[in-house]
Amino acid sequence: MKKEFTCIVCPMSCHLTVYQEGDNIIVEGNTCNRGKVFGENEYVNPKRMLTTTVKIDGSHLKRLPVISNDEIPKSKILECVNELYKMTVKAPINRGDIIIKDICNTNVDIVASRSIAKIS
């Protein structure tokens, strides 16, 4: 089965056609090796960074922005987001604090992407 992707690794935005022949993944349309690697990964196991927010108590803000410290399999994104939407953290929070370690058994941590002080 052929799949079409737009490579997002560099500003060239190459149009990729990716398919499998036997054990080989064939990538066509890439202008660099990074596009070939992107196409192979996107075909076999697509991954994405996760950025969202979680509820926070004890702050002048209602939500804390968070980000994954590595890419998460695309098939697990919804499960991870649902887990994050269930939780509430307490201020103060420092940028880089781990909010959830190994979210949904992905070996990826969710960290705070900004600091938020506690209100007095």
Side-chain angles (χ1 to χ4, degrees):
M1 168 174 62
K2 287 188 177 184
K3 291 187 178 181
E4 311 255 338
F5 303 107
T6 299
C7 183
I8 59 172
V9 177
C10 78
M12 293 285 293
S13 299
C14 295
H15 178 76
L16 306 178
T17 302
V18 185
Y19 56 94
Q20 189 165 359
E21 283 185 355
D23 290 340
N24 297 323
I25 304 296
I26 309 300
V27 179
E28 297 173 344
N30 58 300
T31 56
C32 69
N33 192 47
R34 294 185 306 165
K36 181 180 185 311
V37 171
F38 172 81
E40 291 169 347
N41 290 336
E42 196 66 11
Y43 188 83
V44 175
N45 185 22
K47 294 182 176 185
R48 300 288 185 271
M49 293 296 289
L50 173 59
T51 60
T52 189
T53 59
V54 296
K55 290 183 233 170
I56 185 165
D57 281 340
S59 166
H60 67 287
L61 298 175
K62 294 183 189 234
R63 305 208 51 94
L64 168 72
V66 296
I67 189 168
S68 57
N69 69 350
D70 200 359
E71 294 178 323
I72 293 174
K74 196 173 172 184
S75 61
K76 287 238 179 195
I77 293 287
L78 186 58
E79 180 183 353
C80 293
V81 168
N82 287 335
E83 190 66 28
L84 289 165
Y85 284 175
K86 292 179 199 172
M87 69 177 306
T88 302
V89 296
K90 297 208 180 283
I93 296 285
N94 292 310
R95 182 173 176 256
D97 284 354
I98 296 175
I99 304 304
I100 297 182
K101 191 160 189 61
D102 188 21
I103 189 165
C104 300
N105 299 311
T106 59
N107 294 320
V108 175
D109 300 336
I110 303 297
V111 297
S113 58
R114 74 168 284 179
S115 297
I116 296 182
K118 183 177 182 178
I119 55 175
S120 303

